[in-house]
Amino acid sequence: MRTMRFTPRFWASAGIFAVVVLFGLVGPLVLGGKLGEGVGGLYDPPSGAAWLGTDDLGHDVFTNLMFGTRTSLIIGLVAGAIATVIGVVIGLIAGYHGGFVEEALMGATNVALAIPSIVVLILLSVALDFRSVVAMAIVIAITSWPWTARAVRAQASSVRTREHLDVARLSGAGTWNILVWDVLPYLMSYICMAFVLQVSGAILAEAGLSLLGLGPSGSVSLGIMLNWALVGESLLNGAWWAFIPPTALLTLIAFALLMLQSSLDEVFNPRLRRGGRGGRRAVAAGPVVTSGALAVEQAAPVGDLESVGSDQEPAGTGDHTSGRSGNA
């Protein structure tokens, strides 16, 4: 397995997300502050006592921002993990078995995709008497797994025709054994990127629900802060510090996760890894016009592309190997 080369964009996006995680998880422990404690009056401007001012109830916006970031991250990570697991399991089974099993599972997935997710989210949130953080994460995960299942099914369908799976079947390996040890490793690169997108989508979905007043009960999140700012008419009162910080933090989280997913695509995709020094030199050679002819020939990329395609796995599959099939 070749050593993965992480791009500067990966380190930049991972660093931004790490700072946000430290702010939400470590910030309340280091900087102190008590959630729900009044420190001033209605929409007091930023000062030494309240770095980002106060909200419509006199609570410190900076303290709410730390606890709200932690809640949003927990919901995003839990919902992203659950949705990814559901999508991977359904996609693996459908792609490996094919036939009636694939048609049934993909039919249910298409029905789930046809129903607007925001409608299901609102109905499920209204039906809950008490919306805890975990309950909100489960509700969001229920509506966000179908696209992952479809993509994993397509990847698994291409892997199931490989020769090492025939060897595994002839050796007497069971279905789940083959799925875990022979099919899943080839999909891990895509699963990692899908998980990042699921986390980003879950955080934004929670913010949308909380903005409508359907957020987690008894806690604060970035979306709930926006709901408080909307209900308290902070925009009309000119209290920009009540809605700009949570909006900016949500934007920063979504930007960091989307950039992280894009950089992971460059790490795992051998066609995009062509952008290294050798690939840049090949592309820099450019088109060469032969003298006395009107035809334009591509000078260098042909040989390089063939060499890359011959010793790398297809895009999205990574360089994973199966130990059991090799022994067989």
Side-chain angles (χ1 to χ4, degrees):
M1 180 183 296
R2 293 176 174 82
T3 303
M4 291 185 297
R5 297 179 180 179
F6 295 105
T7 62
R9 183 164 59 171
F10 169 84
W11 293 114
S13 56
I16 293 174
F17 187 70
V19 170
V20 174
V21 172
L22 290 176
F23 176 74
L25 299 182
V26 183
L29 302 177
V30 176
L31 300 178
K34 184 179 296 184
L35 186 62
E37 181 181 9
V39 297
L42 172 66
Y43 290 136
D44 288 344
S47 61
W51 294 351
L52 292 178
T54 61
D55 58 11
D56 57 331
L57 298 177
H59 300 159
D60 186 8
V61 173
F62 185 78
T63 301
N64 288 340
L65 197 65
M66 289 189 297
F67 285 96
T69 301
R70 182 174 64 180
T71 302
S72 296
L73 288 176
I74 292 174
I75 292 176
L77 292 173
V78 174
I82 295 175
T84 302
V85 170
I86 295 175
V88 168
V89 170
I90 293 178
L92 276 177
I93 296 175
Y96 176 76
H97 283 283
F100 175 77
V101 175
E102 181 179 11
E103 292 180 2
L105 291 177
M106 287 301 100
T109 302
N110 292 333
V111 171
L113 285 173
I115 302 175
S117 59
I118 186 62
V119 176
V120 180
L121 282 173
I122 293 175
L123 293 177
L124 292 177
S125 300
V126 171
L128 296 176
D129 295 331
F130 181 79
R131 294 181 294 272
S132 64
V133 172
V134 177
M136 286 296 301
I138 295 175
V139 167
I140 295 173
I142 289 175
T143 62
S144 56
W145 60 266
W147 65 269
T148 302
R150 286 181 59 88
V152 171
R153 189 268 305 175
Q155 297 284 338
S157 297
S158 63
V159 173
R160 72 180 178 186
T161 59
R162 299 194 177 188
E163 295 179 356
H164 75 279
L165 291 186
D166 295 332
V167 175
R169 297 186 190 97
L170 292 176
S171 65
T175 300
W176 286 105
N177 199 0
I178 293 176
L179 289 177
V180 172
W181 296 106
D182 295 286
V183 179
L184 188 62
Y186 283 86
L187 310 180
M188 287 306 299
S189 59
Y190 176 79
I191 293 173
C192 290
M193 294 185 290
F195 172 71
V196 173
L197 290 180
Q198 289 283 10
V199 173
S200 176
I203 292 175
L204 295 179
E206 182 277 327
L209 286 176
S210 299
L211 189 60
L212 298 175
L214 299 174
S217 306
S219 60
V220 60
S221 67
L222 297 177
I224 290 177
M225 292 182 66
L226 293 176
N227 176 259
W228 290 347
L230 179 65
V231 174
E233 298 182 345
S234 60
L235 184 61
L236 297 179
N237 292 316
W240 55 267
W241 54 86
F243 60 88
I244 287 184
T247 303
L249 203 53
L250 280 172
T251 304
L252 185 64
I253 293 173
F255 170 76
L257 289 175
L258 291 177
M259 189 167 64
L260 181 63
Q261 186 273 336
S262 178
S263 63
L264 285 176
D265 194 17
E266 293 179 354
V267 172
F268 292 129
N269 194 333
R271 293 195 182 100
L272 297 180
R273 285 206 300 267
R274 186 172 56 90
R277 295 181 179 178
R280 283 196 293 268
R281 284 199 300 268
V283 176
V288 176
V289 181
T290 57
S291 57
L294 298 177
V296 176
E297 297 179 355
Q298 297 293 332
V302 174
D304 291 343
L305 288 178
E306 291 177 351
S307 63
V308 170
S310 62
D311 63 352
Q312 303 264 6
E313 291 291 338
T317 60
D319 296 325
H320 308 288
T321 58
S322 173
R324 182 169 53 74
S325 60
N327 295 331

